[in-house]
């Protein structure tokens, strides 16, 4: 079933105690430095295994899951779990927080869709299944932002969104995501530490003439 077709049943399928479990960071870095961060932004503990949580990968425009991993552990309010690529560099593994080393679902590229699933229902997504988009999806007005970049969920977002077009947005202001440079995983595993009330947007390319070093997220300029 296509990812976008599940939006209608989402509200009926997610219990209130689980509504605030969502993808809060996506790392598509150099080499195999790739990771997905899942956080509990609610007020109740969530048992991931009991809740039937998993991460599914839809690779190269596939409409069926190509790989998946069941999640386990207790997520207390404000905590995160990181699923990272088993082939990541030593530098990434040293810097990244302890998490789940994975040799399947985290072998993704910028054009592969990632879904957070609860009891068979998709509750949050990065991208869409089929057709193969090429290199990556635009996010926050940034072209192909899911390739060679990091995405961080804005702190104003505390529930998953199975509608990728709404989640990605069309500009920096209406997107649910901050777009960061490649190999930026400084906030991985600690979503609350990256939160602030007002965000600044601009060019984060240090080689560009309009480089804005104080920017929190790219604005496509």
């Amino acid at each position: 079933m296509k990812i976008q077709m599940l939006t209608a049943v989402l509200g009926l399928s997610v219990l209130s105690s689980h509504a605030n479990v969502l993808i809060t960071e996506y790392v598509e870095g150099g080499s195999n430095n790739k990771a997905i961060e899942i956080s509990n932004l609610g007020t109740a503990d969530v048992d991931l295994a009991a809740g039937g949580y998993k991460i599914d990968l839809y690779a190269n425009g596939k409409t069926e899951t190509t790989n998946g991993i069941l999640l386990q552990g207790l997520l207390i309010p404000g905590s995160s779990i990181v699923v990272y690529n088993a082939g990541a560099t030593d530098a990434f593994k040293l810097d990244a927080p302890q998490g789940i080393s994975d040799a399947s679902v985290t072998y993704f590229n910028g054009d592969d869709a990632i879904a957070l699933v609860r009891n068979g229902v998709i509750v949050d997504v990065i991208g869409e299944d089929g057709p193969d988009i090429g290199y990556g999806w635009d996010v926050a007005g940034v072209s192909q932002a899911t390739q060679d970049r990091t995405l961080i969920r804005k702190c104003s977002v505390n529930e998953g969104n199975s509608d990728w077009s709404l989640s990605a947005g069309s500009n920096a202001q209406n997107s649910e995501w901050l777009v960061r440079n490649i190999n930026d995983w400084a906030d991985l595993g600690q979503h609350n530490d990256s939160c602030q009330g007002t965000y600044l947007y601009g060019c984060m390319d240090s080689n560009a003439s309009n480089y804005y070093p104080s920017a929190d997220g790219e604005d496509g300029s």
Side-chain angles (χ1 to χ4, degrees):
M1 182 179 295
K2 294 183 72 64
I3 289 175
Q4 50 266 41
M5 293 174 61
L6 293 168
T7 305
V9 299
L10 179 61
L12 299 177
S13 303
V14 180
L15 299 177
S16 59
S17 61
H18 292 266
N20 305 112
V21 177
L22 64 157
I23 301 171
T24 47
E25 188 160 347
Y26 162 96
V27 178
E28 210 282 296
S31 185
N32 287 315
N33 295 335
K34 304 169 191 286
I36 298 293
E37 175 190 272
I38 306 296
S39 299
N40 176 7
L41 304 184
T43 58
D45 294 349
V46 174
D47 186 322
L48 295 174
Y53 282 97
K54 65 181 299 195
I55 297 175
D56 279 339
L57 171 66
Y58 294 78
N60 301 317
K62 296 289 194 303
T63 57
E64 300 293 335
T65 304
T66 51
N67 283 306
I69 181 173
L70 294 171
L71 300 178
Q72 299 185 26
L74 184 69
L75 272 186
I76 63 174
S79 67
S80 304
I81 186 171
V82 174
V83 181
Y84 66 91
N85 193 300
T89 63
D90 290 341
F92 180 92
K93 292 177 180 178
L94 286 172
D95 289 345
Q98 290 186 346
I100 301 172
S101 176
D102 171 69
S104 58
V105 75
T106 54
Y107 279 92
F108 57 81
N109 294 310
D111 62 340
D112 299 328
I114 302 289
L116 175 64
V117 178
R118 178 178 179 267
N119 286 334
V121 176
I122 293 175
V123 297
D124 206 7
V125 293
I126 302 284
E128 295 178 340
D129 61 329
D132 191 345
I133 197 169
Y135 294 100
W137 283 272
D138 297 348
V139 181
V142 179
S143 178
Q144 300 175 0
T146 54
Q147 181 189 40
D148 296 337
R149 282 191 170 90
T150 291
L151 304 181
I152 297 178
R153 213 64 173 266
K154 291 180 180 178
C155 295
S156 57
V157 181
N158 57 20
E159 292 187 8
N161 191 345
S162 62
D163 188 326
W164 172 242
S165 62
L166 290 179
S167 177
S170 58
N171 56 55
Q173 288 71 33
N174 65 24
S175 176
E176 294 185 359
W177 300 90
L178 295 173
V179 180
R180 298 278 183 84
N181 288 329
I182 188 172
N183 293 332
D184 180 346
W185 54 74
D187 295 317
L188 193 60
Q190 47 187 11
H191 180 63
N192 288 341
D193 288 355
S194 67
C195 289
Q196 53 184 290
T198 302
Y199 292 112
L200 302 174
Y201 307 107
C203 177
M204 301 184 73
D205 183 352
S206 60
N207 296 316
S209 60
N210 63 331
Y211 173 50
Y212 185 20
S214 298
D216 299 299
E218 277 277 2
D219 65 354
S221 64

